Amino acid sequence: MTRIALLILVLLAGPLAAQDLTLPSGARQLSDRVSPLDSYDLPTGPFADGSLPVRHVEGQVERITWRVQSGSSTTLQLLAPLREQIIAQGYEVLFECEARNCGGFDFRFGTEVVPTPDMYVSIQDYRFLAATRGDEVLSLLVSRNPPSGYVQMIRVTPVGVAAPPPLVIEETVNATDGLLSELAQNGHVILDDLHFRTGEITLGDGPFASLDLIAGYLADNPGTRLALVGHTDDTGALDANISVSTGRAQAVRTRLIEAHGVAADRLEARGIGYLAPLTSNATAEGRDLNRRVEAVLLVN
């Protein structure tokens, strides 16, 4: 079965350029901020006795976040492969903790977190890791808001320090087992790698691995049809949201038909606006999660 890279980062000492970063299907980069000269307080222990111990560092600061399809994976399952690889590349783990042992709420709001909606941190479900490689420091923050996982990386290279070797982080997962097993088990799955322009119904250029997998699944299961269901957040009137969500579902249907050769009679497209949210619309990250297209099994 084909294995694809879920998350590949190539971070060079200089500012990141598009060719330095490869994000395969299943992961979506949410932010990429590089400051040539900035500071960062790296947590070196849990929040205790009213304070958070930190190591103040200055230099070029890289702040990058991603959203990944986590499915039923725990935060430890998301973090562990990343930890193993940075250790293999010469990093030494300075400090690591999970939500409660970190200090819960106090640690979460005592350390630097990229603002929402580019990073989401559940107070009761996150993990943090601080590591060093010579004078270079790096932190990883991982959390979940099922079905999505969030990863934040902050790396600081001091001014005047020789350029470090490239950092490559790669986590491989069996994408077919992930998306298609969830579809088979639950009867529906979020096509989390799709993207649309804000307020528009036009589907991005892709390619989108989820659509490859769906097309292959339909080819292997001739007695199956799918409904593509669009969802929105609760911004605006219901009628307008139903129109947008329907248009997005139809755009996905059209892409599957025209680019992937799926027969039109095996796909339906519907939109239900904000009537079936995954989570609360009270926060920016919640609204972002609620904007989605799902594939729903229709067995003949």
Side-chain angles (χ1 to χ4, degrees):
M1 218 174 260
T2 302
R3 295 178 66 83
I4 66 168
L6 171 64
L7 185 57
I8 298 178
L9 287 66
V10 179
L11 302 182
L12 302 180
L16 291 174
Q19 63 268 25
D20 298 328
L21 179 62
T22 302
L23 288 173
S25 300
R28 175 186 172 191
Q29 184 178 351
L30 300 180
S31 66
D32 175 2
R33 305 170 188 177
V34 180
S35 301
L37 182 60
D38 203 349
S39 62
Y40 172 53
D41 288 330
L42 176 75
T44 57
F47 187 97
D49 300 324
S51 66
L52 178 65
V54 298
R55 173 178 167 183
H56 184 81
V57 289
E58 297 180 351
Q60 175 181 274
V61 182
E62 300 161 315
R63 300 173 174 92
I64 308 175
T65 63
W66 299 265
R67 186 175 69 192
V68 301
Q69 292 179 348
S70 64
S72 59
S73 297
T74 65
T75 52
L76 180 57
Q77 287 173 316
L78 294 175
L79 177 63
L82 306 180
R83 177 181 58 205
E84 292 174 3
Q85 291 165 68
I86 66 173
I87 291 174
Q89 294 174 53
Y91 280 87
E92 179 180 354
V93 175
L94 180 65
F95 167 62
E96 183 176 354
C97 63
E98 60 85 24
R100 183 173 58 181
N101 294 332
C102 292
F105 177 94
D106 293 315
F107 183 95
R108 156 61 179 95
F109 287 96
T111 190
E112 179 176 338
V113 178
V114 171
T116 57
D118 294 334
M119 183 61 188
Y120 172 85
V121 181
S122 169
I123 299 300
Q124 298 179 336
D125 189 15
Y126 68 85
R127 288 181 182 266
F128 178 85
L129 180 148
T132 61
R133 183 170 66 181
D135 293 323
E136 180 185 1
V137 305
L138 175 148
S139 70
L140 291 171
L141 179 62
V142 176
S143 188
R144 296 189 316 140
N145 191 353
S148 296
Y150 291 81
V151 178
Q152 170 184 287
M153 172 181 288
I154 298 180
R155 185 171 79 154
V156 183
T157 305
V159 174
V161 172
L167 168 65
V168 179
I169 295 179
E170 181 174 352
E171 181 186 356
T172 58
V173 296
N174 193 317
T176 302
D177 282 351
L179 185 144
L180 296 185
S181 64
E182 186 173 345
L183 177 64
Q185 179 177 348
N186 300 328
H188 64 96
V189 66
I190 297 173
L191 307 180
D192 198 37
D193 60 339
L194 306 182
H195 62 82
F196 300 84
R197 294 181 179 178
T198 301
E200 296 186 9
I201 63 173
T202 302
L203 181 62
D205 293 333
F208 302 112
S210 64
L211 300 189
D212 289 330
L213 292 169
I214 290 297
Y217 180 82
L218 289 172
D220 293 339
N221 296 274
T224 300
R225 295 184 301 116
L226 288 179
L228 300 164
V229 183
H231 302 261
T232 66
D233 61 30
D234 66 351
T235 303
L238 177 58
D239 288 348
N241 278 287
I242 289 178
S243 177
V244 169
S245 60
T246 300
R248 289 180 173 178
Q250 289 173 340
V252 176
R253 179 178 182 270
T254 299
R255 182 69 57 87
L256 282 167
I257 294 170
E258 296 182 353
H260 297 269
V262 177
D265 62 0
R266 302 190 65 191
L267 297 168
E268 297 180 9
R270 297 288 186 269
I272 58 175
Y274 53 65
L275 296 179
L278 282 176
T279 187
S280 171
N281 282 296
T283 63
E285 60 268 22
R287 292 190 293 274
D288 187 48
L289 286 171
N290 288 334
R291 296 189 292 268
R292 67 200 190 278
V293 175
E294 296 189 24
V296 179
L297 278 178
L298 302 173
V299 181
N300 289 334

